[in-house]
Amino acid sequence: MQHVDPHQSGSAILAPLRNGVFRSIWTASQISSLGWLVQTVAISWLMATISASDLMVALVQAASTLPVFFLSILAGAIADNFSRRWVMFAGHCLLALASTTLVISVGIGFISPWLILGLGFIAGCGFALNDPAWHASIGDILHKRDIPAAVTLTSVGYNIVRSGGPALGGVILAFFGPLTAFALAALCDLTPLGAIWRTKWHVRASPLPREKITTAIHDGLRFTAMSFEIRSAVARATLFGLASISILALLPIVVRDQLASGPIVYGILLAGFGSGAFVAGMSNSFLRRIMSQNKLVAVASVACAACCLSLALTSSVAVAAFALALGGAGWLITWTGIDVSVQLASPRWVVGRTLSIYYALSAGGMAAGSWVWGTVAQNHSLTWALVGAAAALLLVAAAGILFPVRPWEEADQESSDFHPPELALALKPRSGPIGVKIEYSIPEENIEAFLGCMRARRHVQSRAGARNWTLQRNLQMPSVWIETFRTPTWIDFLRLNLRLTAADKEVVEHLQALHDGKLPPQTVLSIERTTDAARTRPIEVISRPLERYVFKPVHIPPL
């Protein structure tokens, strides 16, 4: 396991674009983002003109992020169980539907604040489906060493478009009206549909049947809850989203009331936000060489706090544009760092679900933040809302002590080879519960190292699906230690072993090195049976003798 550095690994910022599939979808995504940003400028400004409520203006951001909070976890389970390519296609269909409906509504003159929020909600559902599948697919399309560059490039590409898209939206809105802006957005939303339809990529298929969606969601939540790196990154992202969304949610009110300007200035300020994010993305590799990832995310939170404070105190467009560039830089550094941390800490079997949980909670934080800061602005003042958000961002920076974002590490997260053991009973996939017992012989001098490995073993097995894990010591033969756990069914036992990555199997190799028996540690499998005659059904006995499943011996020097 090693730290990921693009210069050391040969993964330069533009390296992922050499892959034709990634390049095609990435390019189409930028065109779609251009349309979305033009539409966002138009829809935010339209809301500010048809509604006098500051809360309704702020809720424009919440409308598109709230579905991500509610649907992302379900979408992540779908992305891990079905074709991620078709899940992405379905997500972009919803985006195109929302944009087309908006064009028709404005064209016939039927528009209201609640219709705007409703169509934003539909678009948010599209994002909820697309984003986990697309980001999980990056690891399918590219080598894992290119994932940091690909995630950074995705963010940088979006912010390149953000540098010009909002300004373009402001110009279109000022000279041609909202209908033209919405029509352009609808056309741009068709581009990813064509790119996804044309491209295909290989995904390593599981030999086992699909999990039930409810089971898949439960397994994803369990894995995330038991992975400190992912849990910490998700907590940090949620807090950052809650505080930092104030910048974008309150910006239309800043432009309208504090700067006394119109849509062109609003577009220029959003372009400043995107320009800062672009510069930060291009400098990301250099910044990570001089500062740890956790400190970098903390500094990014401070930069966003400075942006909020500056917007609260200035009436100058130039100062506001500079402040937003600083906020855009902090925005990109934080989201890119956390996104990559979650991806690299997740095995391929669960990456869609861990990313979806991260997106759901961070989007929930942003939706809640839009409502909180909009309410403060409406009931107190815009200045109070921005100053409060700045204070919250400083607290988020300090939260790095409790929720550190770990350095990016390159670990083998691919599933290792597993061959099911031969059995003397013909089991069905739903047969169970299955009991597993593994016996070790550990000399006295190796006990401390053995217990340390067993702590890691319990963590690895439990997050992959083991239930009721225990470690027992034989009272009559103290050198004998027995590891036991259960799985609900035979298919769950197979799924558990297929989920273990090559990095997880290193724990097994360390245990074998500590084992002092004549034979390697032996695994005994059993199926639990009730003695109730009415509930007992015979299982066909296979004619060959029962064989124990034995770990293949691997010679590793003692720890």
Side-chain angles (χ1 to χ4, degrees), residues 3 8 13 36 56 58 78 85 132 147 173 182 189 224 256 274 328 363 400 441-442 453 498 521 554 558:
H3 296 312
Q8 293 177 353
I13 188 67
W36 173 254
M56 293 297 286
I78 293 172
R85 175 170 167 258
I147 289 177
L173 186 61
F182 296 143
D189 280 335
T224 301
R256 185 191 66 189
S441 178
I442 306 297
C453 284
L498 286 170
V554 179

Side-chain angles (χ1 to χ4, degrees), residues 526-540:
S526 59
I527 185 169
E528 296 181 13
R529 277 293 173 258
T530 178
T531 56
D532 184 354
R535 296 175 57 192
T536 302
R537 292 184 299 175
I539 296 179
E540 179 185 354

Side-chain angles (χ1 to χ4, degrees), residues 155-156 158-160 162-163 240 244 247-248 251 269-282 284 287 299-308 311 320-336 393:
S155 296
V156 167
Y158 176 74
N159 285 287
I160 290 174
R162 192 196 284 270
S163 300
F240 179 79
S244 64
I247 298 173
L248 296 177
L251 187 58
L269 292 182
L270 281 177
F273 187 88
S275 299
F278 169 70
V279 172
M282 299 306 294
N284 210 8
L287 293 174
V299 170
S301 296
V302 174
C304 289
C307 173
C308 286
L311 291 177
F322 179 80
L324 283 163
L326 192 61
W331 181 273
L332 180 130
I333 288 171
T334 299
W335 293 122
T336 300
L393 281 162

Side-chain angles (χ1 to χ4, degrees), residues 32-44 161 164-170 172-173 178 180-185 188:
S32 178
S33 296
L34 176 65
W36 173 254
L37 288 167
V38 169
Q39 178 175 294
T40 299
V41 171
I43 209 168
S44 296
V161 177
L168 175 63
I172 293 174
L173 186 61
T180 303
F182 296 143
L184 175 63
C188 290

Side-chain angles (χ1 to χ4, degrees), residues 40 64 81 84 110 116 160 196 198 227 278 332 371 387 401 457-458 486 488 537:
T40 299
S64 58
N81 279 276
R84 289 169 181 161
F110 178 74
I116 290 175
I160 290 174
I196 296 169
R198 291 192 310 270
S227 300
F278 169 70
L332 180 130
W371 177 80
V387 170
I401 299 173
R457 170 80 167 170
R458 177 181 184 178
R486 298 167 70 249
R537 292 184 299 175

Side-chain angles (χ1 to χ4, degrees), residues 22 35-36 60 65 87-88 130 144 168 185 201 208 240 262 270 327 354 408 413 427 433 451 471 516 518 535 551:
F22 178 84
W36 173 254
V60 171
T65 53
V87 174
M88 291 165 57
N130 175 74
K144 63 179 178 292
L168 175 63
W201 57 91
L208 301 180
F240 179 79
L270 281 177
T354 55
W408 294 350
Q413 297 287 17
L427 298 183
L451 292 176
L471 179 63
D516 194 31
K518 293 182 180 180
R535 296 175 57 192
F551 288 118

